[in-house]
Structure formats: C-alpha cells, structure tokens
Amino acid sequence: MLLSGLERDPGRADGQVTRLGESLAGQLSATIGSSVKVGLGDVVPGLARTPASRRSAERALRALIAAAGPRTVARSEDVADTVGILQVVDALREVALPPRTSVARLREFDAAHSGSCLVETLRAYLDHFGDVSAASRALGVHSNSLRYRLRRITQVSGLDLESPDARLLAQLQLRLGGDADGARP
C-alpha cells in the first residue's frame, strides 16, 4: 500500500505509518481470526524512492514471518538482525559445500530411521545456544533425553559440538534447508 499526505516531519510521518500498520494488522487479525504481520517501508520523499521503500517493507515482512514471534508490525531496522541473517542465508544458497557434512549425515540417518529426530534436536540445541534446559523445553523432552540425543548426534554425524566452526556451519545448513547438504543436482 502506498501512502501520501503524511506529515512533513520524518519522525511524525514514521509515527503515522506505524499507527496505520498496527491498526491494519489488528483489524485484519480480528477479521480473519489469525495473526496478520505487516512490514513497513521507509518513509521517503517522492515517488522516485518508493521502490526502495517497498523492498524495505518486503524485507521487514519476510523477517517477521521467519522470526515467528509475537511481533506483528515492523520496519527493516526493527528486525535488522533477522533481515541480515536472511540475506546471508540467501547469499549462501549457491555455495557448494563439501559432500557428507555433519548435517548431511544427520539428515541421511533421520531419513533411514523412521521416527529419528536428530536434525530437529540439533536445530533446537543450536537455536537455544547450547542451553540444554531451554532446548529440552522447546522439544518437549526431558533434559537427559536431550543429552542422550546430543551424544547420538556426535556418534552418527561426527559433529564436534565444541567447535565454533562446526556449530556455525551446522546452523547455516539448517537454516538453508534440505538443499544445503553438500549434494548438488
């Protein structure tokens, strides 16, 4: 949606846009019975810069959706860290990784063993910065079960959870999805 007739003062114009976005998200959420997310573009002077504003709004919306948190309205600057990681992940999609990385081996193991959830466990563990208690709660399992799974992850994949490089690569591969296992078509 393109707006005109905003306050001339940039700060006040931003406030108008924010209030409109919050109102829109609230009304649409109430109407459809589901949470609606709204990405706000930067307030720009004139039509020439509206494409950049739209791209900013799209990045903010994509970040809101990816973060899956309670926040419903944001500008790119409000969710800059999520916007940044999404851009990094997008840039890495075409990087050919070595075959049979730790995450690739975990995916193969899970696929071959119905009911295995080692990839999901690793994701929760890394997403919670190695906090066993928080990761256990997120997965709905006992802390001892999570510790057992972490030992299995190390046995099955060879992943060194003590290595910052190994954890970073695993985290990036998990964010990239199934196509980042080192096997390129």
Side-chain angles (χ1 to χ4, degrees):
M1 164 182 352
L2 183 63
L3 300 175
S4 66
L6 296 172
E7 294 279 343
R8 290 208 181 274
D9 175 75
R12 290 169 66 180
D14 280 344
Q16 284 180 292
V17 171
T18 299
R19 286 188 299 279
L20 180 61
E22 290 169 349
S23 176
L24 180 64
Q27 289 177 16
L28 286 173
S29 295
T31 300
I32 65 172
S34 180
S35 180
V36 172
K37 309 270 184 179
V38 176
L40 303 175
D42 300 325
V43 174
V44 295
L47 291 175
R49 296 189 41 208
T50 56
S53 178
R54 178 186 168 136
R55 285 190 299 276
S56 175
E58 289 170 350
R59 285 191 300 271
L61 179 59
R62 185 172 172 225
L64 283 169
I65 292 168
R71 183 178 216 152
T72 58
V73 178
R75 286 186 171 71
S76 284
E77 67 186 42
D78 301 330
V79 287
D81 291 340
T82 304
V83 168
I85 195 65
L86 291 172
Q87 289 175 325
V88 167
V89 167
D90 286 347
L92 293 176
R93 288 213 184 276
E94 298 306 316
V95 173
L97 296 173
R100 306 245 330 123
T101 63
S102 299
V103 170
R105 289 191 293 270
L106 280 180
R107 285 191 177 118
E108 290 171 5
F109 183 87
D110 278 358
H113 298 84
S114 180
S116 178
C117 54
L118 296 182
V119 171
E120 176 188 12
T121 299
L122 178 60
R123 179 186 307 273
Y125 179 74
L126 294 173
D127 283 351
H128 290 90
F129 205 59
D131 183 335
V132 171
S133 296
S136 298
R137 283 191 302 276
L139 292 169
V141 299
H142 191 276
S143 296
N144 288 338
S145 296
L146 182 76
R147 287 185 189 93
Y148 169 77
R149 289 182 189 180
L150 291 172
R151 286 191 300 276
R152 286 294 293 151
I153 287 168
T154 300
Q155 292 168 349
V156 167
S157 70
L159 178 63
D160 179 2
L161 290 172
E162 299 298 316
S163 166
D165 291 340
R167 289 191 313 267
L168 176 60
L169 179 61
Q171 185 81 21
L172 287 170
Q173 277 190 273
L174 292 169
R175 295 225 181 234
L176 287 166
D179 60 343
D181 59 6
R184 297 284 177 223

